[in-house]
Amino acid sequence: MRLSAYFLPTLKENPSEAQIVSHRLMLRAGMIRQTGAGIYAWLPLGQRVLKRIERIVREEQDASGAQELLMPTIQPAELWRESGRYDDYGKEMLRIRDRHDREMLYGPTNEEMITDIFKNSCKSYRDLPKNLYHIQWKFRDEIRPRFGVMRGREFLMKDAYSFDLDAAGARRAYQKMFLAYLRTFARLGLKAIPMRAESGAIGGNLSHEFIILAETGESGVFCDRTWLDLDVMAEAPGFDDDLERFFARATGIYAATDEKHDAADCPIPADRLVSARGIEVGHIFYFGTKYSKPLGAVVAGPDGEPVAVEMGSYGIGVSRLAGAIIEASHDEAGIIWPDSVAPFQVGLINLKSGDAACDRVAAEVYGDLRRAGVEVLYDDRAERPGVKFADMDLIGVPWQVLVGPRGVKSGVVELKRRATGERAELSRDSALAKLTGPA
Ligand code: 5CA
């Protein structure tokens, strides 16, 4: 992509409405624009990041055995009357009437709808287990939308729903999602700590939130110091392995949200307890028959007797993650994208646009990289080098390739790693090999 043609409205000044760094940087880097309170348009750069996050989330859901479908954003009120949540949900639910005066709503979550879909097609224990998920926009009329995409009113969520014949099956489904979540967040370059949590409006009694420690986080959390240096992924099994041991290990190291933490009843000594703030990027729930019973999701068991299916639900805040990753990875100059979610892999800077030799070499490097399948943002604008450096650092592309008059003469380009600031002069071929070779 040539930057001269790209829709990338970066801002030089810090927008006054943004209180936390990720919100500031997302606005400044031209990733998002607010269109209403807690509602954002994702501009091309932001949309690229969102798609990359989605892809990793999807790959890990698929690897765990969950199957993707797509449910609508608009739901009939009727279903929520059956579960009893239509009145309970209160003002957070956006209620709508169609032209026939039928009551509808913009879904804040999908337990009712998926249970209805499931029950209409699955009638036997042989249809189990199933785990169905989608990645779809949600609306919650939050009292205090804030921090940009972190607490929006409209936001993108991955929500999965598991169906099992009995509690043991449901526990395995829960553990699979638990593992899929740890794998997902690790691939996103994040250290997410699973914490015992309240199940709130979703219900049930087994629940974990996945929390990224960050000063700007909205959740108060407590955890064992051990978590700070632990790479739990080093011990992670495969999806088909026995998950009990790993689950026991990962949930055995104390971590709880402030709603669950009780100082008087804390299992670890005070000197090992860390009190911190965190961002909730995922939340999983086991709630048994809370929805299957009222909605009639019943299958015939092996003995022919009807059994209400055991369910869990599993959410990841896909749009929130874009902000969370920035909170975890930035510096004074801007965003530092992990390679796995970067909107472009390489930012190519022509230090002297208009100079025939620089233009030629930069265009050739651009062509070489694109042919090798690398996603490149080529800054071909007639701007000063300082402006180009600042913009490329701001948007946080992991590698920068600098083409300038001096290097062009001696046949080299400069390669800069955004995260460390390290620079090296390399021949064009070596630079290309490095950028297209194995990571
Ligand atoms: N049905 C369950 C699981 S599928 C559910 O809705 N869980 S949730 O309420 O915890 O939401 C799942 C995830 O969505 C949260 O962990 C959080 O990362 C994200 N999320 C929730 N509310 C918002 C919001 N207002 N803005 C951005 N992300 C949000």
Side-chain angles (χ1 to χ4, degrees), residues 164-165 286-297 307-312:
D164 283 271
L165 185 63
Y286 165 54
F287 44 71
T289 57
K290 176 175 162 147
Y291 300 93
S292 57
K293 274 198 175 140
L295 290 160
V307 183
V309 295
E310 290 277 328
M311 291 177 59

Side-chain angles (χ1 to χ4, degrees), residues 72-112:
T73 55
I74 306 294
Q75 307 186 20
E78 206 38 52
L79 274 179
W80 288 67
R81 290 221 165 81
E82 285 179 40
S83 73
R85 281 208 293 183
Y86 191 64
D87 294 325
D88 290 356
Y89 221 92
K91 294 205 162 192
E92 269 204 17
M93 180 184 276
L94 182 64
R95 295 157 205 258
I96 308 164
R97 275 175 200 273
D98 69 9
R99 66 165 75 203
H100 306 292
D101 221 24
R102 279 191 289 251
E103 290 175 283
M104 321 205 66
L105 57 102
Y106 194 121
T109 176
N110 284 63
E111 279 82 4
E112 284 79 356

Side-chain angles (χ1 to χ4, degrees), residues 108-111 140 142 149-153 155 157-161 202 280-283 285 313-317 319-320:
T109 176
N110 284 63
E111 279 82 4
R140 294 183 184 173
E142 303 269 354
V149 300
M150 288 283 205
R151 180 162 299 278
R153 292 200 298 166
F155 59 95
M157 190 199 287
K158 183 287 299 180
D159 37 327
Y161 303 88
I202 309 294
E280 179 202 324
V281 287
H283 198 164
F285 307 81
S313 74
Y314 314 89
I316 290 183
S319 49
R320 173 178 289 183

